[in-house]
């Protein structure tokens, strides 16, 4: 197990370095799109812990993303608190809110539909609170002007900082999800997703398992919000604290393959650049046309691939491999049958 983890770490390190070099070599616009895509990959993977592995449709993750984006920026601008301390505070508050949401819904066995409604209501409530709180910027938002770093005489631009933060966040989210899937918590969550009553009958603690998953997902989403705020510079509460953001993340995850490790990565990697390309090429010709094309594409993919892009590809590969394995047996049996 240790040798396998070491191998995964080494390979992942090389892949991360390769991605960093490729994105850094791109022109500014495409480099920015690739950096934001990495942020969305991390956010989708973080949501997938609850929504995919745990099977709970959460529409309130915008609260965690908004906290991660707004609280560190507000503490930096108005209290001169270092950014990393603000990020830790936002992650801690997000974990507490995630635990409270889980306790309310799972302690009283409200069910999946009520969980979605509760999280949606909390997400909308969080947006209203943010807009009405002057410390968090109110409806005007917050503008943070980040400066380049100088490390050992090497100048690191703000764009490079964004790339490093985005790549690190995406890697942490993927590695955390991989660890959960291979741990007892991952097996517990999948058992509860399949049949809660049967899982509890064999001794699985529903409240503890789903609360832990919610807290981990909340912390990762909060960190992702901080990285997104660093990328944008200007933190708009109508963007980071809006349910529209989390709905987009849910769509990316479902289209890629919900409940899997690499499904959210595939969904974001394919759909996010596609949406940016459509907006750049069609937005000026007819307003709203790129949204129509993007929506029709999403509906077509979901209709043709109900298990997601990754699930459909894996299923077809398995069918193809079975056919390949059966061919030699048929060629050997044919002469004897005659």
């Amino acid at each position: 197990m240790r040798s396998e983890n070491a191998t995964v770490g080494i390979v992942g390190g090389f892949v991360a370095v390769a991605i960093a070099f490729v994105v850094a070599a791109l022109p500014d616009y495409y480099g920015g799109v690739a950096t934001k895509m990495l942020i969305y990959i991390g956010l989708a993977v973080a949501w997938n812990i609850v929504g995919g592995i745990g099977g709970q449709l959460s529409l309130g993750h915008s609260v965690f993303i908004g906290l991660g984006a707004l609280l560190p920026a507000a503490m930096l601008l108005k209290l001169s608190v270092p950014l990393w301390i603000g990020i830790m505070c936002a992650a801690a508050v997000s974990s507490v809110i995630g635990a409270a949401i889980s306790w309310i819904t799972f302690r009283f066995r409200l069910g999946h539909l009520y969980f979605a409604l509760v999280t949606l209501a909390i997400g909308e409530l969080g947006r209203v609170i943010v807009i009405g709180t002057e410390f968090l910027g109110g409806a005007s938002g917050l503008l943070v002007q980040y400066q380049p770093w100088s490390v050992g005489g090497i100048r690191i631009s703000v764009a490079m900082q964004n790339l490093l933060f985005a790549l690190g966040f995406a890697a942490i989210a993927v590695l955390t999800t991989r660890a959960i899937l291979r741990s007892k918590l991952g097996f517990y969550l999948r058992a509860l997703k399949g049949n809660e009553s049967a899982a509890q009958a064999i001794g699985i603690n529903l409240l503890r398992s789903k609360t832990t998953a919610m807290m981990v997902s909340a912390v990762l989403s909060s960190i992702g919000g901080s990285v997104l705020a660093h990328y944008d510079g200007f933190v708009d509460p109508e963007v980071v604290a809006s349910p529209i953001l989390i709905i987009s993340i849910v769509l990316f995850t479902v289209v890629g393959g919900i409940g899997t490790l690499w499904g959210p990565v595939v969904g974001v990697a394919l759909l996010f650049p596609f949406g940016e390309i459509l907006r750049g090429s069609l937005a000026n010709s007819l307003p709203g046309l790129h949204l129509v094309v993007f929506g029709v594409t999403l509906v077509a993919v979901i209709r043709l691939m109900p298990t997601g892009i990754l699930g459909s590809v894996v299923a077809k590969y398995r069918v193809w491999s079975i056919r390949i394995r059966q061919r030699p047996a048929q060629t050997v049996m044919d002469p004897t049958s005659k």
Side-chain angles (χ1 to χ4, degrees):
M1 182 65 70
R2 290 182 179 178
S3 61
E4 181 182 352
N5 292 335
T7 302
V8 171
I10 294 173
V11 174
F14 279 115
V15 171
V17 172
I19 292 174
F21 274 111
V22 171
V23 175
L26 294 174
D28 292 341
Y29 173 75
Y30 296 104
V33 171
T35 300
K36 198 167 186 178
M37 182 188 73
L38 290 171
I39 299 174
Y40 271 75
I41 285 175
L43 291 173
V45 172
W47 180 89
N48 189 52
I49 296 174
V50 171
I53 302 174
Q56 300 289 151
L57 179 60
S58 172
L59 300 176
H61 270 57
S62 55
V63 171
F64 313 134
I65 298 173
L67 267 173
L70 291 165
L71 187 58
M75 293 175 68
L76 176 65
L77 290 175
K78 300 182 179 183
L79 301 178
S80 299
V81 176
L83 184 63
W84 65 273
I85 295 180
I87 293 174
M88 292 177 61
C89 292
V93 175
S94 297
S95 67
V96 173
I97 295 176
I101 294 173
S102 299
W103 188 85
I104 292 171
T105 53
F106 301 132
R107 175 66 177 80
F108 299 101
R109 305 292 298 274
L110 295 181
H112 298 283
L113 177 59
Y114 289 102
F115 179 83
L117 293 176
V118 168
T119 54
L120 179 61
I122 291 177
E124 186 62 21
L125 178 63
R127 186 183 69 85
V128 173
I129 292 175
V130 165
I131 292 176
T133 304
E134 185 64 27
F135 177 75
L136 297 176
S140 301
L142 295 171
L143 176 62
V144 184
Q145 296 180 345
Y146 296 102
Q147 301 298 324
W149 294 343
S150 181
V151 180
I154 301 176
R155 184 177 181 274
I156 302 177
S157 64
V158 176
M160 181 57 67
Q161 295 175 32
N162 293 329
L163 173 59
L164 295 176
F165 289 152
L167 186 58
F169 168 59
I172 290 172
V174 170
L175 292 176
T176 302
T177 303
R178 180 178 180 272
I180 290 175
L181 287 171
R182 297 165 65 90
S183 67
K184 290 182 180 180
L185 177 60
F187 291 106
Y188 292 165
L189 291 174
R190 280 173 283 187
L192 291 167
K193 179 181 178 181
N195 191 321
E196 288 187 358
S197 299
Q200 291 183 89
I202 62 175
I204 297 177
N205 191 314
L206 181 146
L207 180 60
R208 182 188 302 167
S209 300
K210 294 202 171 184
T211 300
T212 302
M214 189 68 170
M215 292 175 68
V216 173
S217 180
V219 169
L220 288 175
S221 298
S222 176
I223 296 173
S226 301
V227 177
L228 182 62
H230 194 281
Y231 171 83
D232 289 333
F234 173 71
V235 187
D236 186 356
E238 292 293 343
V239 175
V240 296
S242 172
I244 297 177
L245 174 61
I246 199 62
I247 290 174
S248 301
I249 292 171
V250 172
L251 285 175
F252 291 149
T253 307
V254 171
V255 171
I258 191 170
T260 62
L261 175 60
W262 297 107
V265 178
V266 173
V268 177
L270 293 178
L271 293 180
F272 186 80
F274 177 66
E276 293 296 320
I277 292 172
L278 287 179
R279 186 176 65 175
S281 57
L282 299 179
N284 294 328
S285 58
L286 182 63
L289 179 61
H290 65 290
L291 296 177
V292 174
V293 175
F294 189 74
V296 171
T297 304
L298 284 178
V299 173
V301 172
I302 294 174
R303 180 65 180 86
L304 297 175
M305 300 179 178
T307 58
I309 296 174
L310 185 63
S312 299
V313 171
V314 170
K316 290 182 180 180
Y317 172 77
R318 288 176 178 173
V319 172
W320 177 78
S321 61
I322 291 173
R323 290 178 179 176
I324 292 297
R325 287 197 299 267
Q326 289 177 346
R327 284 180 183 176
Q330 292 177 356
T331 56
V332 173
M333 292 293 293
D334 288 341
T336 58
S337 61
K338 292 181 180 179

